[in-house]
Amino acid sequence: MSFDVIRDSMGPAIGIWLTGLLVFVLAAATLEGLVQSFVRRQSYDWRAYGASLADAVGRRAVDALGLSIAAPVLAWAHAHRVDTISLSTPAAFALLFVGQEFCYYWYHRAAHRVRWFWATHAVHHSPNELTLAAALRLGWTGKLTGTALFFAPLVWLGFPPLAVVATLAANLLYQFWLHAPWMPRLGPLEWVLNTPAHHKVHHASNPEYLDRNYGGVLIVFDRMFGTFAQERGDVRLRYGLTTPLLTHNPLRIAFHEWANLGRDLWRAKGWRAKISALFGPPGALS
């Protein structure tokens, strides 16, 4: 399931809106770079910007193949749903929103703590600068690793699959502006919402900040489950992977962690070691 499903289900008008959103996102990312380079007279990595755009284009090409190991599971969950939840009341929409945020939190946590999912998610953390363009760098293999499985419980409970996909899409769109570290703090909203101040900590590779602030729109689940962290005055944020990825080659960016995973699987002795390499934590997050 993807934006194509939303477009086909909601008619041609939604295609115009999605195209407009894409143009807005690209324009905002480009404007940030121009302001950084020519107004603030500060460094901006335009090669990383280009690599992020190439990653986005490659992801769309892979998505066009229609491959997804989660699709049959989502179809089964919908066919065997325990109820049919009509989104006819504000309470139903609120429940879907909170449920999606809960599922997203655990997906995102697994994407950092399970090597199989990290192999894709590492792409998003590969930029050594945090910019709006970095938000576009999501990797090419998400649908091939089954990340959508984390949202199958919502479909099984009875929420319409299209509504689940649309809510997740809104979540991801919200997160675009979180990749602007120059944004000011938002006062009391910082207690409930995920903000740029929280998300720049998430992108830091310092040991003090690793595996923190997994939320999408909300930060409350991080506070509940002990994964919340604030920026410390004595530890300067360092973006990127713990072992910095210095290439701008889109193919290397997309597959570098898969290559590391394949190497470790080859070296692992015995099936238990291989399972640990595949589904255990990334370790050094190389």
Side-chain angles (χ1 to χ4, degrees):
M1 291 188 290
S2 65
F3 283 114
D4 295 329
V5 177
I6 301 173
R7 180 194 62 205
D8 295 341
S9 300
M10 301 183 71
I14 193 63
I16 297 174
W17 281 101
L18 292 176
T19 300
L21 287 173
L22 176 61
V23 171
F24 170 78
V25 164
L26 293 176
T30 305
L31 180 61
E32 180 191 46
L34 293 173
V35 170
Q36 187 81 347
S37 297
F38 300 108
V39 178
R40 296 179 177 173
R41 300 291 181 178
Q42 297 177 0
S43 64
Y44 184 85
D45 192 342
W46 285 101
R47 293 182 67 191
Y49 165 93
S52 295
L53 293 188
D55 178 83
V57 171
R59 185 172 63 257
R60 292 297 295 162
V62 173
D63 287 351
L65 299 176
L67 303 176
S68 171
I69 67 172
V73 177
L74 293 172
W76 182 93
H78 182 60
H80 296 83
R81 61 192 181 276
V82 297
D83 198 358
T84 298
I85 301 175
S86 174
L87 296 176
S88 57
T89 65
F93 277 100
L95 185 60
L96 173 59
F97 169 72
V98 174
Q100 182 275 145
E101 286 292 310
F102 181 78
C103 292
Y104 180 83
Y105 170 85
W106 287 106
Y107 148 70
H108 200 180
R109 188 164 176 170
H112 280 254
R113 302 304 302 154
V114 178
R115 188 82 179 272
W116 172 258
F117 297 118
W118 171 250
T120 296
H121 193 59
V123 174
H124 184 60
H125 285 264
S126 62
N128 298 307
E129 291 182 357
L130 185 60
T131 64
L132 291 175
L136 304 175
R137 196 183 294 198
L138 299 175
W140 299 351
T141 54
K143 289 186 176 181
L144 303 179
T145 57
T147 56
L149 294 175
F150 287 88
F151 304 92
L154 296 174
V155 177
W156 177 72
L157 288 173
F159 287 105
L162 179 61
V164 173
V165 173
T167 308
L168 176 59
N171 176 328
L172 298 177
L173 180 62
Y174 172 88
Q175 291 187 57
F176 172 71
W177 77 291
L178 301 183
H179 296 78
W182 42 265
M183 289 288 293
R185 295 183 65 86
L186 301 180
L189 293 177
E190 302 274 346
W191 283 95
V192 178
L193 297 178
N194 194 11
T195 66
H198 298 327
H199 201 62
K200 65 183 181 180
V201 170
H202 174 74
H203 271 268
S205 59
N206 315 64
E208 296 84 353
Y209 299 132
L210 284 179
D211 302 329
R212 300 290 182 174
N213 301 357
Y214 294 121
V217 176
L218 302 177
I219 202 68
V220 293
F221 293 117
D222 285 285
R223 296 185 184 277
M224 289 175 59
F225 297 117
T227 53
F228 175 73
Q230 288 184 313
E231 181 179 2
R232 291 168 44 175
D234 61 330
V235 182
R236 185 174 179 270
L237 298 172
R238 182 178 67 248
Y239 300 120
L241 301 172
T242 54
T243 300
L245 188 66
L246 303 179
T247 184
H248 295 99
N249 184 318
L251 289 174
R252 286 193 60 194
I253 291 171
F255 297 111
H256 78 278
E257 185 57 27
W258 285 109
N260 292 338
L261 176 56
R263 177 202 63 204
D264 292 345
L265 278 173
W266 179 261
R267 294 176 178 175
K269 303 300 182 181
W271 64 269
R272 288 188 179 181
K274 292 184 183 297
I275 290 176
S276 179
L278 195 59
F279 297 110
L285 303 184
S286 59

